[in-house]
PDB file of all heavy atoms in Angstrom:
ATOM      1  N   LYS A 792       0.816  -1.219  -0.005  1.00 96.00           N
ATOM      2  CA  LYS A 792       0.002   0.009  -0.002  1.00 96.00           C
ATOM      3  C   LYS A 792       0.857   1.264  -0.005  1.00 96.00           C
ATOM      4  O   LYS A 792       0.431   2.319  -0.456  1.00 96.00           O
ATOM      5  CB  LYS A 792      -0.940   0.006   1.200  1.00 96.00           C
ATOM      6  CG  LYS A 792      -2.095  -0.983   1.081  1.00 96.00           C
ATOM      7  CD  LYS A 792      -2.993  -0.927   2.303  1.00 96.00           C
ATOM      8  CE  LYS A 792      -4.164  -1.904   2.156  1.00 96.00           C
ATOM      9  NZ  LYS A 792      -5.032  -1.882   3.360  1.00 96.00           N
ATOM     10  N   LEU A 793       2.092   1.151   0.532  1.00 96.00           N
ATOM     11  CA  LEU A 793       2.995   2.287   0.581  1.00 96.00           C
ATOM     12  C   LEU A 793       3.785   2.441  -0.734  1.00 96.00           C
ATOM     13  O   LEU A 793       4.583   3.385  -0.867  1.00 96.00           O
ATOM     14  CB  LEU A 793       3.970   2.133   1.745  1.00 96.00           C
ATOM     15  CG  LEU A 793       3.368   2.295   3.155  1.00 96.00           C
ATOM     16  CD1 LEU A 793       4.403   1.947   4.214  1.00 96.00           C
ATOM     17  CD2 LEU A 793       2.854   3.722   3.354  1.00 96.00           C
ATOM     18  N   GLY A 794       3.593   1.533  -1.670  1.00 96.00           N
ATOM     19  CA  GLY A 794       4.334   1.602  -2.932  1.00 96.00           C
ATOM     20  C   GLY A 794       5.629   0.810  -2.931  1.00 96.00           C
ATOM     21  O   GLY A 794       6.478   0.989  -3.802  1.00 96.00           O
ATOM     22  N   VAL A 795       5.783  -0.067  -1.910  1.00 97.00           N
ATOM     23  CA  VAL A 795       6.956  -0.929  -1.821  1.00 97.00           C
ATOM     24  C   VAL A 795       6.661  -2.252  -2.525  1.00 97.00           C
ATOM     25  O   VAL A 795       5.617  -2.858  -2.285  1.00 97.00           O
ATOM     26  CB  VAL A 795       7.352  -1.182  -0.354  1.00 97.00           C
ATOM     27  CG1 VAL A 795       8.526  -2.152  -0.269  1.00 97.00           C
ATOM     28  CG2 VAL A 795       7.663   0.120   0.358  1.00 97.00           C
ATOM     29  N   ARG A 796       7.546  -2.689  -3.357  1.00 97.00           N
ATOM     30  CA  ARG A 796       7.376  -3.985  -4.038  1.00 97.00           C
ATOM     31  C   ARG A 796       7.974  -5.070  -3.140  1.00 97.00           C
ATOM     32  O   ARG A 796       9.040  -4.888  -2.539  1.00 97.00           O
ATOM     33  CB  ARG A 796       8.099  -3.979  -5.389  1.00 97.00           C
ATOM     34  CG  ARG A 796       7.596  -2.894  -6.304  1.00 97.00           C
ATOM     35  CD  ARG A 796       8.529  -2.621  -7.443  1.00 97.00           C
ATOM     36  NE  ARG A 796       8.554  -3.710  -8.421  1.00 97.00           N
ATOM     37  CZ  ARG A 796       9.211  -3.640  -9.555  1.00 97.00           C
ATOM     38  NH1 ARG A 796       9.917  -2.548  -9.885  1.00 97.00           N
ATOM     39  NH2 ARG A 796       9.186  -4.658 -10.397  1.00 97.00           N
ATOM     40  N   VAL A 797       7.292  -6.192  -3.042  1.00 97.00           N
ATOM     41  CA  VAL A 797       7.749  -7.299  -2.213  1.00 97.00           C
ATOM     42  C   VAL A 797       7.833  -8.552  -3.066  1.00 97.00           C
ATOM     43  O   VAL A 797       6.867  -8.916  -3.754  1.00 97.00           O
ATOM     44  CB  VAL A 797       6.797  -7.550  -1.010  1.00 97.00           C
ATOM     45  CG1 VAL A 797       7.298  -8.742  -0.187  1.00 97.00           C
ATOM     46  CG2 VAL A 797       6.702  -6.300  -0.157  1.00 97.00           C
ATOM     47  N   GLN A 798       8.984  -9.202  -3.029  1.00 95.00           N
ATOM     48  CA  GLN A 798       9.179 -10.427  -3.796  1.00 95.00           C
ATOM     49  C   GLN A 798       9.807 -11.489  -2.897  1.00 95.00           C
ATOM     50  O   GLN A 798      10.822 -11.266  -2.256  1.00 95.00           O
ATOM     51  CB  GLN A 798      10.115 -10.178  -4.982  1.00 95.00           C
ATOM     52  CG  GLN A 798      10.440 -11.399  -5.806  1.00 95.00           C
ATOM     53  CD  GLN A 798       9.244 -11.972  -6.537  1.00 95.00           C
ATOM     54  OE1 GLN A 798       8.406 -11.206  -7.036  1.00 95.00           O
ATOM     55  NE2 GLN A 798       9.124 -13.286  -6.609  1.00 95.00           N
ATOM     56  N   GLN A 799       9.147 -12.633  -2.819  1.00 93.00           N
ATOM     57  CA  GLN A 799       9.656 -13.747  -2.040  1.00 93.00           C
ATOM     58  C   GLN A 799      10.557 -14.603  -2.897  1.00 93.00           C
ATOM     59  O   GLN A 799      10.174 -15.018  -3.987  1.00 93.00           O
ATOM     60  CB  GLN A 799       8.510 -14.571  -1.455  1.00 93.00           C
ATOM     61  CG  GLN A 799       8.960 -15.602  -0.443  1.00 93.00           C
ATOM     62  CD  GLN A 799       7.773 -16.215   0.288  1.00 93.00           C
ATOM     63  OE1 GLN A 799       6.650 -15.724   0.171  1.00 93.00           O
ATOM     64  NE2 GLN A 799       8.001 -17.283   1.040  1.00 93.00           N
ATOM     65  N   LEU A 800      11.781 -14.859  -2.389  1.00 91.00           N
ATOM     66  CA  LEU A 800      12.741 -15.702  -3.095  1.00 91.00           C
ATOM     67  C   LEU A 800      13.143 -16.856  -2.195  1.00 91.00           C
ATOM     68  O   LEU A 800      13.053 -16.759  -0.963  1.00 91.00           O
ATOM     69  CB  LEU A 800      13.988 -14.892  -3.481  1.00 91.00           C
ATOM     70  CG  LEU A 800      13.797 -13.783  -4.526  1.00 91.00           C
ATOM     71  CD1 LEU A 800      15.117 -13.032  -4.729  1.00 91.00           C
ATOM     72  CD2 LEU A 800      13.304 -14.359  -5.848  1.00 91.00           C
ATOM     73  N   PRO A 801      13.629 -17.947  -2.754  1.00 84.00           N
ATOM     74  CA  PRO A 801      14.009 -19.084  -1.919  1.00 84.00           C
ATOM     75  C   PRO A 801      15.206 -18.755  -1.048  1.00 84.00           C
ATOM     76  O   PRO A 801      16.102 -17.995  -1.416  1.00 84.00           O
ATOM     77  CB  PRO A 801      14.368 -20.160  -2.954  1.00 84.00           C
ATOM     78  CG  PRO A 801      14.706 -19.404  -4.200  1.00 84.00           C
ATOM     79  CD  PRO A 801      13.813 -18.216  -4.186  1.00 84.00           C
ATOM     80  N   ALA A 802      15.200 -19.349   0.160  1.00 82.00           N
ATOM     81  CA  ALA A 802      16.323 -19.195   1.074  1.00 82.00           C
ATOM     82  C   ALA A 802      17.332 -20.299   0.785  1.00 82.00           C
ATOM     83  O   ALA A 802      16.972 -21.453   0.557  1.00 82.00           O
ATOM     84  CB  ALA A 802      15.829 -19.278   2.520  1.00 82.00           C
ATOM     85  N   LYS A 803      18.593 -19.932   0.813  1.00 73.00           N
ATOM     86  CA  LYS A 803      19.629 -20.915   0.516  1.00 73.00           C
ATOM     87  C   LYS A 803      20.177 -21.557   1.774  1.00 73.00           C
ATOM     88  O   LYS A 803      20.594 -22.713   1.777  1.00 73.00           O
ATOM     89  CB  LYS A 803      20.769 -20.245  -0.265  1.00 73.00           C
ATOM     90  CG  LYS A 803      21.845 -21.216  -0.723  1.00 73.00           C
ATOM     91  CD  LYS A 803      22.908 -20.523  -1.553  1.00 73.00           C
ATOM     92  CE  LYS A 803      23.943 -21.523  -2.034  1.00 73.00           C
ATOM     93  NZ  LYS A 803      24.984 -20.868  -2.867  1.00 73.00           N
ATOM     94  N   THR A 804      20.169 -20.799   2.870  1.00 62.00           N
ATOM     95  CA  THR A 804      20.775 -21.295   4.116  1.00 62.00           C
ATOM     96  C   THR A 804      19.727 -21.417   5.214  1.00 62.00           C
ATOM     97  O   THR A 804      18.617 -20.904   5.115  1.00 62.00           O
ATOM     98  CB  THR A 804      21.879 -20.328   4.580  1.00 62.00           C
ATOM     99  OG1 THR A 804      21.300 -19.027   4.789  1.00 62.00           O
ATOM    100  CG2 THR A 804      22.978 -20.213   3.514  1.00 62.00           C
ATOM    101  N   THR A 805      20.136 -22.094   6.280  1.00 61.00           N
ATOM    102  CA  THR A 805      19.219 -22.306   7.414  1.00 61.00           C
ATOM    103  C   THR A 805      18.886 -21.029   8.134  1.00 61.00           C
ATOM    104  O   THR A 805      17.879 -20.971   8.859  1.00 61.00           O
ATOM    105  CB  THR A 805      19.843 -23.299   8.400  1.00 61.00           C
ATOM    106  OG1 THR A 805      21.147 -22.810   8.801  1.00 61.00           O
ATOM    107  CG2 THR A 805      20.007 -24.661   7.769  1.00 61.00           C
ATOM    108  N   ASP A 806      19.693 -19.962   7.940  1.00 65.00           N
ATOM    109  CA  ASP A 806      19.364 -18.696   8.611  1.00 65.00           C
ATOM    110  C   ASP A 806      18.244 -17.934   7.922  1.00 65.00           C
ATOM    111  O   ASP A 806      17.812 -16.889   8.371  1.00 65.00           O
ATOM    112  CB  ASP A 806      20.617 -17.804   8.729  1.00 65.00           C
ATOM    113  CG  ASP A 806      21.264 -17.500   7.385  1.00 65.00           C
ATOM    114  OD1 ASP A 806      20.604 -17.727   6.330  1.00 65.00           O
ATOM    115  OD2 ASP A 806      22.414 -17.062   7.368  1.00 65.00           O
ATOM    116  N   GLY A 807      17.801 -18.465   6.767  1.00 72.00           N
ATOM    117  CA  GLY A 807      16.663 -17.889   6.088  1.00 72.00           C
ATOM    118  C   GLY A 807      16.976 -16.739   5.161  1.00 72.00           C
ATOM    119  O   GLY A 807      16.066 -16.151   4.571  1.00 72.00           O
ATOM    120  N   HIS A 808      18.254 -16.384   4.990  1.00 78.00           N
ATOM    121  CA  HIS A 808      18.602 -15.283   4.080  1.00 78.00           C
ATOM    122  C   HIS A 808      18.312 -15.696   2.643  1.00 78.00           C
ATOM    123  O   HIS A 808      18.545 -16.836   2.242  1.00 78.00           O
ATOM    124  CB  HIS A 808      20.083 -14.922   4.236  1.00 78.00           C
ATOM    125  CG  HIS A 808      20.407 -14.317   5.553  1.00 78.00           C
ATOM    126  ND1 HIS A 808      21.686 -14.268   6.069  1.00 78.00           N
ATOM    127  CD2 HIS A 808      19.613 -13.723   6.471  1.00 78.00           C
ATOM    128  CE1 HIS A 808      21.661 -13.664   7.248  1.00 78.00           C
ATOM    129  NE2 HIS A 808      20.429 -13.340   7.514  1.00 78.00           N
ATOM    130  N   PRO A 809      17.799 -14.761   1.828  1.00 83.00           N
ATOM    131  CA  PRO A 809      17.533 -15.103   0.414  1.00 83.00           C
ATOM    132  C   PRO A 809      18.805 -15.539  -0.297  1.00 83.00           C
ATOM    133  O   PRO A 809      19.903 -15.034  -0.019  1.00 83.00           O
ATOM    134  CB  PRO A 809      17.007 -13.774  -0.143  1.00 83.00           C
ATOM    135  CG  PRO A 809      16.490 -13.011   1.033  1.00 83.00           C
ATOM    136  CD  PRO A 809      17.390 -13.399   2.163  1.00 83.00           C
ATOM    137  N   ASP A 810      18.657 -16.465  -1.207  1.00 90.00           N
ATOM    138  CA  ASP A 810      19.762 -16.954  -2.032  1.00 90.00           C
ATOM    139  C   ASP A 810      20.229 -15.777  -2.891  1.00 90.00           C
ATOM    140  O   ASP A 810      19.501 -15.291  -3.750  1.00 90.00           O
ATOM    141  CB  ASP A 810      19.269 -18.108  -2.881  1.00 90.00           C
ATOM    142  CG  ASP A 810      20.354 -18.672  -3.774  1.00 90.00           C
ATOM    143  OD1 ASP A 810      21.436 -18.083  -3.849  1.00 90.00           O
ATOM    144  OD2 ASP A 810      20.113 -19.718  -4.410  1.00 90.00           O
ATOM    145  N   ILE A 811      21.472 -15.326  -2.671  1.00 92.00           N
ATOM    146  CA  ILE A 811      21.939 -14.126  -3.358  1.00 92.00           C
ATOM    147  C   ILE A 811      22.128 -14.349  -4.826  1.00 92.00           C
ATOM    148  O   ILE A 811      22.004 -13.413  -5.624  1.00 92.00           O
ATOM    149  CB  ILE A 811      23.217 -13.584  -2.669  1.00 92.00           C
ATOM    150  CG1 ILE A 811      23.389 -12.090  -2.976  1.00 92.00           C
ATOM    151  CG2 ILE A 811      24.452 -14.393  -3.054  1.00 92.00           C
ATOM    152  CD1 ILE A 811      24.239 -11.353  -1.993  1.00 92.00           C
ATOM    153  N   ALA A 812      22.378 -15.592  -5.235  1.00 92.00           N
ATOM    154  CA  ALA A 812      22.454 -15.875  -6.673  1.00 92.00           C
ATOM    155  C   ALA A 812      21.067 -15.758  -7.292  1.00 92.00           C
ATOM    156  O   ALA A 812      20.907 -15.253  -8.420  1.00 92.00           O
ATOM    157  CB  ALA A 812      23.026 -17.274  -6.899  1.00 92.00           C
ATOM    158  N   ALA A 813      20.043 -16.174  -6.556  1.00 94.00           N
ATOM    159  CA  ALA A 813      18.662 -16.010  -7.037  1.00 94.00           C
ATOM    160  C   ALA A 813      18.296 -14.532  -7.116  1.00 94.00           C
ATOM    161  O   ALA A 813      17.536 -14.124  -8.012  1.00 94.00           O
ATOM    162  CB  ALA A 813      17.700 -16.766  -6.121  1.00 94.00           C
ATOM    163  N   VAL A 814      18.838 -13.741  -6.192  1.00 96.00           N
ATOM    164  CA  VAL A 814      18.587 -12.289  -6.228  1.00 96.00           C
ATOM    165  C   VAL A 814      19.097 -11.710  -7.537  1.00 96.00           C
ATOM    166  O   VAL A 814      18.415 -10.935  -8.214  1.00 96.00           O
ATOM    167  CB  VAL A 814      19.303 -11.599  -5.029  1.00 96.00           C
ATOM    168  CG1 VAL A 814      19.311 -10.085  -5.214  1.00 96.00           C
ATOM    169  CG2 VAL A 814      18.603 -11.980  -3.724  1.00 96.00           C
ATOM    170  N   LEU A 815      20.325 -12.084  -7.929  1.00 97.00           N
ATOM    171  CA  LEU A 815      20.885 -11.581  -9.194  1.00 97.00           C
ATOM    172  C   LEU A 815      20.076 -12.015 -10.392  1.00 97.00           C
ATOM    173  O   LEU A 815      19.833 -11.216 -11.307  1.00 97.00           O
ATOM    174  CB  LEU A 815      22.338 -12.045  -9.350  1.00 97.00           C
ATOM    175  CG  LEU A 815      23.399 -11.425  -8.444  1.00 97.00           C
ATOM    176  CD1 LEU A 815      24.778 -11.741  -9.009  1.00 97.00           C
ATOM    177  CD2 LEU A 815      23.209  -9.942  -8.298  1.00 97.00           C
ATOM    178  N   ARG A 816      19.642 -13.259 -10.387  1.00 97.00           N
ATOM    179  CA  ARG A 816      18.859 -13.755 -11.526  1.00 97.00           C
ATOM    180  C   ARG A 816      17.542 -12.993 -11.618  1.00 97.00           C
ATOM    181  O   ARG A 816      17.092 -12.636 -12.729  1.00 97.00           O
ATOM    182  CB  ARG A 816      18.582 -15.253 -11.367  1.00 97.00           C
ATOM    183  CG  ARG A 816      19.826 -16.115 -11.568  1.00 97.00           C
ATOM    184  CD  ARG A 816      19.453 -17.579 -11.734  1.00 97.00           C
ATOM    185  NE  ARG A 816      18.828 -18.134 -10.550  1.00 97.00           N
ATOM    186  CZ  ARG A 816      19.467 -18.702  -9.538  1.00 97.00           C
ATOM    187  NH1 ARG A 816      20.808 -18.785  -9.581  1.00 97.00           N
ATOM    188  NH2 ARG A 816      18.836 -19.199  -8.512  1.00 97.00           N
ATOM    189  N   PHE A 817      16.903 -12.724 -10.490  1.00 97.00           N
ATOM    190  CA  PHE A 817      15.639 -11.984 -10.493  1.00 97.00           C
ATOM    191  C   PHE A 817      15.851 -10.556 -10.993  1.00 97.00           C
ATOM    192  O   PHE A 817      15.067 -10.049 -11.797  1.00 97.00           O
ATOM    193  CB  PHE A 817      15.046 -11.962  -9.094  1.00 97.00           C
ATOM    194  CG  PHE A 817      13.737 -11.222  -8.991  1.00 97.00           C
ATOM    195  CD1 PHE A 817      12.568 -11.792  -9.487  1.00 97.00           C
ATOM    196  CD2 PHE A 817      13.666  -9.956  -8.448  1.00 97.00           C
ATOM    197  CE1 PHE A 817      11.362 -11.114  -9.425  1.00 97.00           C
ATOM    198  CE2 PHE A 817      12.470  -9.266  -8.378  1.00 97.00           C
ATOM    199  CZ  PHE A 817      11.315  -9.858  -8.874  1.00 97.00           C
ATOM    200  N   LEU A 818      16.930  -9.901 -10.546  1.00 98.00           N
ATOM    201  CA  LEU A 818      17.206  -8.543 -11.007  1.00 98.00           C
ATOM    202  C   LEU A 818      17.520  -8.544 -12.510  1.00 98.00           C
ATOM    203  O   LEU A 818      17.148  -7.605 -13.221  1.00 98.00           O
ATOM    204  CB  LEU A 818      18.369  -7.949 -10.215  1.00 98.00           C
ATOM    205  CG  LEU A 818      18.071  -7.684  -8.737  1.00 98.00           C
ATOM    206  CD1 LEU A 818      19.338  -7.168  -8.046  1.00 98.00           C
ATOM    207  CD2 LEU A 818      16.935  -6.681  -8.566  1.00 98.00           C
ATOM    208  N   GLY A 819      18.206  -9.580 -12.974  1.00 98.00           N
ATOM    209  CA  GLY A 819      18.454  -9.680 -14.399  1.00 98.00           C
ATOM    210  C   GLY A 819      17.193  -9.784 -15.201  1.00 98.00           C
ATOM    211  O   GLY A 819      17.069  -9.190 -16.288  1.00 98.00           O
ATOM    212  N   GLN A 820      16.204 -10.491 -14.685  1.00 98.00           N
ATOM    213  CA  GLN A 820      14.890 -10.584 -15.350  1.00 98.00           C
ATOM    214  C   GLN A 820      14.206  -9.227 -15.428  1.00 98.00           C
ATOM    215  O   GLN A 820      13.379  -8.987 -16.320  1.00 98.00           O
ATOM    216  CB  GLN A 820      14.033 -11.602 -14.634  1.00 98.00           C
ATOM    217  CG  GLN A 820      14.507 -13.041 -14.753  1.00 98.00           C
ATOM    218  CD  GLN A 820      13.795 -13.988 -13.797  1.00 98.00           C
ATOM    219  OE1 GLN A 820      12.815 -13.611 -13.145  1.00 98.00           O
ATOM    220  NE2 GLN A 820      14.261 -15.216 -13.716  1.00 98.00           N
ATOM    221  N   MET A 821      14.549  -8.356 -14.510  1.00 97.00           N
ATOM    222  CA  MET A 821      14.008  -6.983 -14.507  1.00 97.00           C
ATOM    223  C   MET A 821      14.807  -6.051 -15.406  1.00 97.00           C
ATOM    224  O   MET A 821      14.562  -4.848 -15.392  1.00 97.00           O
ATOM    225  CB  MET A 821      13.982  -6.438 -13.069  1.00 97.00           C
ATOM    226  CG  MET A 821      13.082  -7.185 -12.112  1.00 97.00           C
ATOM    227  SD  MET A 821      13.187  -6.500 -10.438  1.00 97.00           S
ATOM    228  CE  MET A 821      12.524  -4.846 -10.679  1.00 97.00           C
ATOM    229  N   GLU A 822      15.767  -6.572 -16.131  1.00 97.00           N
ATOM    230  CA  GLU A 822      16.669  -5.782 -16.983  1.00 97.00           C
ATOM    231  C   GLU A 822      17.517  -4.810 -16.179  1.00 97.00           C
ATOM    232  O   GLU A 822      17.852  -3.718 -16.628  1.00 97.00           O
ATOM    233  CB  GLU A 822      15.917  -5.067 -18.098  1.00 97.00           C
ATOM    234  CG  GLU A 822      15.248  -6.005 -19.093  1.00 97.00           C
ATOM    235  CD  GLU A 822      14.690  -5.281 -20.310  1.00 97.00           C
ATOM    236  OE1 GLU A 822      14.235  -4.124 -20.162  1.00 97.00           O
ATOM    237  OE2 GLU A 822      14.731  -5.859 -21.410  1.00 97.00           O
ATOM    238  N   ILE A 823      17.928  -5.226 -14.997  1.00 98.00           N
ATOM    239  CA  ILE A 823      18.873  -4.472 -14.195  1.00 98.00           C
ATOM    240  C   ILE A 823      20.258  -4.939 -14.614  1.00 98.00           C
ATOM    241  O   ILE A 823      20.621  -6.091 -14.418  1.00 98.00           O
ATOM    242  CB  ILE A 823      18.641  -4.736 -12.677  1.00 98.00           C
ATOM    243  CG1 ILE A 823      17.256  -4.250 -12.239  1.00 98.00           C
ATOM    244  CG2 ILE A 823      19.751  -4.065 -11.858  1.00 98.00           C
ATOM    245  CD1 ILE A 823      17.021  -2.772 -12.401  1.00 98.00           C
ATOM    246  N   THR A 824      21.016  -4.013 -15.200  1.00 98.00           N
ATOM    247  CA  THR A 824      22.345  -4.373 -15.720  1.00 98.00           C
ATOM    248  C   THR A 824      23.484  -4.115 -14.729  1.00 98.00           C
ATOM    249  O   THR A 824      24.587  -4.627 -14.914  1.00 98.00           O
ATOM    250  CB  THR A 824      22.650  -3.616 -17.027  1.00 98.00           C
ATOM    251  OG1 THR A 824      22.807  -2.231 -16.722  1.00 98.00           O
ATOM    252  CG2 THR A 824      21.511  -3.788 -18.033  1.00 98.00           C
ATOM    253  N   SER A 825      23.231  -3.307 -13.709  1.00 98.00           N
ATOM    254  CA  SER A 825      24.284  -2.950 -12.769  1.00 98.00           C
ATOM    255  C   SER A 825      23.692  -2.798 -11.376  1.00 98.00           C
ATOM    256  O   SER A 825      22.632  -2.185 -11.199  1.00 98.00           O
ATOM    257  CB  SER A 825      24.983  -1.673 -13.198  1.00 98.00           C
ATOM    258  OG  SER A 825      24.059  -0.632 -13.431  1.00 98.00           O
ATOM    259  N   LEU A 826      24.401  -3.344 -10.406  1.00 98.00           N
ATOM    260  CA  LEU A 826      23.941  -3.325  -9.017  1.00 98.00           C
ATOM    261  C   LEU A 826      25.093  -2.922  -8.113  1.00 98.00           C
ATOM    262  O   LEU A 826      26.181  -3.496  -8.204  1.00 98.00           O
ATOM    263  CB  LEU A 826      23.451  -4.715  -8.611  1.00 98.00           C
ATOM    264  CG  LEU A 826      23.150  -4.940  -7.124  1.00 98.00           C
ATOM    265  CD1 LEU A 826      21.902  -4.182  -6.710  1.00 98.00           C
ATOM    266  CD2 LEU A 826      23.008  -6.432  -6.820  1.00 98.00           C
ATOM    267  N   MET A 827      24.866  -1.924  -7.265  1.00 98.00           N
ATOM    268  CA  MET A 827      25.869  -1.521  -6.285  1.00 98.00           C
ATOM    269  C   MET A 827      25.402  -1.960  -4.905  1.00 98.00           C
ATOM    270  O   MET A 827      24.312  -1.593  -4.452  1.00 98.00           O
ATOM    271  CB  MET A 827      26.133  -0.021  -6.310  1.00 98.00           C
ATOM    272  CG  MET A 827      27.268   0.387  -5.385  1.00 98.00           C
ATOM    273  SD  MET A 827      27.958   2.003  -5.758  1.00 98.00           S
ATOM    274  CE  MET A 827      26.644   3.065  -5.181  1.00 98.00           C
ATOM    275  N   ILE A 828      26.231  -2.720  -4.245  1.00 98.00           N
ATOM    276  CA  ILE A 828      25.940  -3.175  -2.886  1.00 98.00           C
ATOM    277  C   ILE A 828      26.541  -2.172  -1.906  1.00 98.00           C
ATOM    278  O   ILE A 828      27.724  -1.917  -1.910  1.00 98.00           O
ATOM    279  CB  ILE A 828      26.512  -4.579  -2.627  1.00 98.00           C
ATOM    280  CG1 ILE A 828      25.806  -5.612  -3.539  1.00 98.00           C
ATOM    281  CG2 ILE A 828      26.329  -4.967  -1.152  1.00 98.00           C
ATOM    282  CD1 ILE A 828      26.371  -7.006  -3.395  1.00 98.00           C
ATOM    283  N   GLU A 829      25.676  -1.574  -1.094  1.00 95.00           N
ATOM    284  CA  GLU A 829      26.113  -0.649  -0.053  1.00 95.00           C
ATOM    285  C   GLU A 829      25.707  -1.195   1.320  1.00 95.00           C
ATOM    286  O   GLU A 829      25.419  -0.437   2.238  1.00 95.00           O
ATOM    287  CB  GLU A 829      25.502   0.739  -0.253  1.00 95.00           C
ATOM    288  CG  GLU A 829      26.139   1.547  -1.387  1.00 95.00           C
ATOM    289  CD  GLU A 829      25.812   3.033  -1.303  1.00 95.00           C
ATOM    290  OE1 GLU A 829      25.775   3.580  -0.173  1.00 95.00           O
ATOM    291  OE2 GLU A 829      25.571   3.627  -2.358  1.00 95.00           O
ATOM    292  N   GLY A 830      25.675  -2.492   1.430  1.00 85.00           N
ATOM    293  CA  GLY A 830      25.167  -3.127   2.634  1.00 85.00           C
ATOM    294  C   GLY A 830      26.114  -3.080   3.801  1.00 85.00           C
ATOM    295  O   GLY A 830      27.238  -2.562   3.692  1.00 85.00           O
ATOM    296  N   GLY A 831      25.689  -3.637   4.897  1.00 90.00           N
ATOM    297  CA  GLY A 831      26.530  -3.732   6.068  1.00 90.00           C
ATOM    298  C   GLY A 831      27.462  -4.909   5.979  1.00 90.00           C
ATOM    299  O   GLY A 831      27.616  -5.568   4.949  1.00 90.00           O
TER     300      GLY A 831
END
């Protein structure tokens, strides 16, 4: 409702974090050609 998009992706590890390789594939499907990680 706030305009935030939510996408559920498979977790790769027991800690429940999204599979980061799946993250890249999903972004590629969105025609995202470049990604900058500014994470912690």
Side-chain angles (χ1 to χ4, degrees):
K792 287 180 180 179
L793 290 173
V795 177
R796 302 164 70 174
V797 179
Q798 176 67 38
Q799 189 169 350
L800 293 177
K803 185 176 181 180
T804 59
T805 55
D806 57 16
H808 293 160
D810 180 352
I811 203 157
V814 168
L815 288 195
R816 290 193 297 270
F817 180 75
L818 293 177
Q820 292 168 9
M821 296 177 65
E822 295 189 326
I823 297 298
T824 68
S825 52
L826 171 70
M827 185 161 73
I828 296 177
E829 285 197 39

